Amino acid sequence: MPAPRRRKSRMKTYAAPIIAGEFKGKAVEIPSVATTRSSKAILRESLFNTLQFDLMGKPFVEVFAGSGSVALEAVSRGASRAWCMEKNREVYEILRANVERIAPRRIETIRGDSFEEFPQVYRQVEAAGEKAYFYFDPPFSIREGMEEIYDQTLGLLEQIRPETCEMAIVEHMTTVDLPEKIGALELVKKRRFGKSTLSYYRPTPNDEA
């Protein structure tokens, strides 16, 4: 029996290249819609300039994945494997197509609400026994003033224990100041890019195993 045909998405996309590493230059299809957004190229470049070779051989989790551009960049630069979570059905199909075309053996895609799916992905990270990098880019830009989205995201960060975390990075609106400490994590660096900011968290020294 032939495999079922994937329904072609009517969502408009544009292509952005992977910046560096094994898959440098390969095009990532990115949805051109308000319900999701890929991280701007300048933010991605700054992120990976910060992580550089520390990412080699480490797991990577992209919690609100969209097209998966950040996770794909991570595995291109040497991350051992990655997980991507995306709720929107059409966006998920674009994510899955990107992964299947570029790095199908190294990225697992999960369709569902990131707030609901995170615990089971986190259990897989725990089972792997390696410290991972976590990237959070929640949909802050959809409707400003959605404080519950911030609260829920902080709730996910509070679940991360030191023995499973190398670093957690949050992309958020510059107008919002995230706490200096979230659970076992503390803010170590912040980079602003106009309306968006990257906040970097590491386990506090006293909490590390």
Side-chain angles (χ1 to χ4, degrees), residues 60-63 65 68 71-72 75 80-86 92 95-96 99-100 103-111 117 120-125:
F60 191 92
V61 180
E62 189 174 5
V63 181
L72 284 161
V75 297
S80 58
R81 63 176 299 192
W83 291 264
C84 290
M85 288 164 263
E86 174 54 43
Y92 175 77
L95 162 66
R96 190 170 66 170
V99 168
E100 289 180 355
R105 297 181 181 179
R106 291 167 61 188
I107 299 180
E108 180 179 344
T109 62
I110 301 97
R111 185 191 162 202
E117 300 297 336
Q120 65 101 349
V121 171
Y122 187 75
R123 285 193 292 270
Q124 293 183 52
V125 173

Side-chain angles (χ1 to χ4, degrees), residues 136-168:
F136 295 81
D137 180 14
F140 294 154
S141 62
I142 295 175
R143 295 195 303 276
E144 293 193 22
M146 294 179 66
E147 289 81 3
E148 73 276 11
I149 298 295
Y150 291 94
D151 292 339
Q152 288 176 309
T153 300
L154 294 179
L156 296 185
L157 285 157
E158 288 174 350
Q159 296 178 36
I160 298 175
R161 291 189 285 275
E163 61 270 20
T164 60
C165 179
E166 196 68 55
M167 180 176 280

Side-chain angles (χ1 to χ4, degrees), residues 3-200:
R5 295 178 62 183
R6 182 183 303 154
R7 180 163 55 182
K8 185 176 179 59
S9 172
R10 285 181 266 177
M11 186 174 289
K12 292 182 179 179
T13 65
Y14 65 94
I18 290 176
I19 300 167
E22 180 181 352
F23 307 123
K24 180 180 179 180
K26 285 188 177 291
V28 178
E29 292 298 316
I30 296 175
S32 300
V33 292
T35 55
T36 185
R37 63 183 173 84
S38 178
S39 300
K40 302 176 185 68
I42 189 169
L43 270 76
R44 276 194 294 139
E45 189 163 6
S46 175
L47 168 69
F48 289 103
N49 283 344
T50 296
L51 302 184
Q52 292 195 15
F53 300 111
D54 294 339
L55 190 59
M56 296 288 292
K58 301 291 178 61
F60 191 92
V61 180
E62 189 174 5
V63 181
F64 303 90
S67 64
S69 63
V70 177
L72 284 161
E73 188 76 40
V75 297
S76 180
R77 293 175 184 246
S80 58
R81 63 176 299 192
W83 291 264
C84 290
M85 288 164 263
E86 174 54 43
K87 181 178 181 179
N88 182 285
R89 179 184 58 78
E90 286 190 282
V91 175
Y92 175 77
E93 289 302 317
I94 294 169
L95 162 66
R96 190 170 66 170
N98 282 332
V99 168
E100 289 180 355
R101 181 167 41 82
I102 298 172
R105 297 181 181 179
R106 291 167 61 188
I107 299 180
E108 180 179 344
T109 62
I110 301 97
R111 185 191 162 202
D113 188 323
S114 294
F115 297 114
E116 297 175 1
E117 300 297 336
F118 183 79
Q120 65 101 349
V121 171
Y122 187 75
R123 285 193 292 270
Q124 293 183 52
V125 173
E126 283 184 308
E130 298 177 278
K131 290 190 175 184
Y133 285 84
F134 296 85
Y135 191 83
F136 295 81
D137 180 14
F140 294 154
S141 62
I142 295 175
R143 295 195 303 276
E144 293 193 22
M146 294 179 66
E147 289 81 3
E148 73 276 11
I149 298 295
Y150 291 94
D151 292 339
Q152 288 176 309
T153 300
L154 294 179
L156 296 185
L157 285 157
E158 288 174 350
Q159 296 178 36
I160 298 175
R161 291 189 285 275
E163 61 270 20
T164 60
C165 179
E166 196 68 55
M167 180 176 280
I169 305 99
V170 186
E171 181 178 338
H172 59 94
M173 291 193 302
T174 299
T175 53
V176 172
D177 285 324
L178 296 184
E180 293 285 325
K181 196 171 190 304
I182 305 172
L185 307 175
E186 65 178 357
L187 183 67
V188 294
K189 181 178 180 179
K190 184 181 289 188
R191 292 291 308 275
R192 293 181 174 86
F193 304 88
K195 294 182 179 180
S196 297
T197 291
L198 292 177
S199 291
Y200 295 79

